[in-house]
Amino acid sequence: MPATSPGAYASAVHWTIGDQTLTTISDGYFETDLSVVFPEFDNEEAARLQRTAHRPATPRITHNMYVVRGPWHAPVLIDAGMGDGWGPTMGHVPSALASIGVLPEEVGTVMLTHLHLDHSAGLINADGTPRFPNADVVMHAEEADYWLTGTPDKMPVDVPPWAEEITRFSVAKAVAPYRHSIRTFTGERELVPGITAVPLTGHTPGHSGYRVGTGERSVLTVGDIVHLPAVQGPRADATVVFDVDPAAAAKAREDLLDDAARNEYLIAGAHTEFPGVGRVSRQGDGYEITPELWVASLG
């Protein structure tokens, strides 16, 4: 049964998925402008879609992470959050984990959807030590190949915070304490009992989701398939500044939304609005992502 816990950035919602519990936790949010997010998409159309959904033209992009607990594995954290030093509205995974009674040393696996910093920088504490000292860190092999080579010697300057040079420099620091516990995968495969990796490449070369459970009651965590649901649901072609391969990212989004609509399974995004879990339905030429009822598991 879903439940909540109070506290700024520490609220959590629990979903029962078979014999496992999927918990949404918040790392915070990032406020930005549509012109920044959508440099190649009509900003007036994006603003119109935001207004239609009663969302502001200056959006706050939510940051959801997910914890999976079950009888067959230690707690699994899906994405590690932004970490320290990126402003007061982000980096709240540690307090969120504390609010649900999970200690960092209890986390057995951190599954990264990709290596952008809002998903990976939280692997380390401010002093560079591992935040999850007993965890394996899992990612797609192509993600590791792309970001963990060609690391700059020092932090780049005079580039935006999402520039690839900054990601390469910072993510190398974030994964360094885990160099003996990094596991990579290719293709679709079960990583721990009840959690299966599902490549969703495009946003980054190894961008991946993780399916929790099986069948209609499964949930597919989809990482950054969607950043602003009100825009990218109706317009799956709306690519974002963070996409490494915009065309491939748009195709991955269209394919995923179409599959989720046809097969009626739940998705859980890193940036779908908290608590992040929803269903997809076809609406004309696009899609609508409808939040799942918090009481849905009562039936």
Side-chain angles (χ1 to χ4, degrees):
M1 163 181 174
T4 61
S5 59
Y9 306 110
S11 292
V13 180
H14 309 290
W15 314 84
T16 301
I17 311 296
D19 59 3
Q20 300 183 98
T21 299
L22 174 75
T23 301
T24 312
I25 60 175
S26 176
D27 192 50
Y29 68 90
F30 170 56
E31 186 169 314
T32 186
D33 296 319
L34 290 174
S35 60
V36 172
V37 179
F38 297 118
E40 303 298 328
F41 184 72
D42 185 340
N43 283 188
E44 291 186 5
E45 175 65 1
R48 184 191 69 79
L49 290 168
Q50 285 284 100
R51 288 194 302 271
T52 299
H54 306 285
R55 295 294 181 265
T58 302
R60 288 182 171 182
I61 298 177
T62 57
H63 288 247
N64 306 317
M65 312 293 133
Y66 297 93
V67 179
V68 186
R69 288 172 284 185
W72 312 115
H73 55 75
V76 172
L77 177 62
I78 299 178
D79 286 332
M82 192 72 191
D84 300 294
W86 298 90
T89 68
M90 301 170 71
H92 296 277
V93 161
S95 60
L97 286 174
S99 78
I100 62 171
V102 174
L103 299 173
E105 57 267 29
E106 294 176 328
V107 174
T109 309
V110 181
M111 297 182 182
L112 297 174
T113 60
H114 61 301
L115 285 174
H116 279 161
L117 297 181
D118 54 325
H119 301 258
S120 65
L123 287 169
I124 55 174
N125 298 306
D127 62 0
T129 57
R131 179 160 284 156
F132 309 105
N134 298 314
D136 288 343
V137 174
V138 178
M139 68 191 78
H140 194 288
E142 291 189 21
E143 194 70 3
D145 289 345
Y146 187 79
W147 294 109
L148 300 180
T149 57
T151 304
D153 294 330
K154 57 184 179 180
M155 175 69 89
V157 296
D158 299 326
V159 294
W162 54 83
E164 289 199 5
E165 306 97 304
I166 288 182
T167 300
R168 292 180 193 279
F169 179 83
S170 299
V171 81
K173 292 173 56 180
V175 303
Y178 301 90
R179 60 187 176 276
H180 298 303
S181 55
I182 292 175
R183 295 164 45 202
T184 61
F185 63 87
T186 58
E188 188 167 328
R189 54 173 288 194
E190 187 174 63
L191 300 175
V192 301
I195 305 180
T196 300
V198 180
L200 301 170
T201 56
H203 176 61
T204 63
H207 182 264
S208 298
Y210 298 99
R211 188 181 300 279
V212 181
T214 59
E216 290 185 2
R217 191 52 194 169
S218 67
V219 178
L220 179 60
T221 65
V222 297
D224 282 13
I225 279 287
V226 171
H227 285 79
L228 288 175
V231 177
Q232 292 174 295
R235 294 293 301 270
D237 61 318
T239 59
V240 298
V241 68
F242 319 110
D243 290 331
V244 172
D245 185 336
K251 184 179 186 305
R253 181 165 42 256
E254 172 69 35
D255 290 348
L256 182 280
L257 295 177
D258 177 68
D259 189 64
R262 286 189 292 105
N263 292 295
E264 299 184 349
Y265 54 80
L266 292 160
I267 66 168
H271 305 298
T272 47
E273 294 170 356
F274 188 90
V277 178
R279 294 190 184 273
V280 181
S281 57
R282 172 69 79 167
Q283 297 292 329
D285 293 331
Y287 303 90
E288 182 176 2
I289 302 171
T290 302
E292 180 74 344
L293 285 172
W294 290 11
V295 296
S297 66
L298 288 174

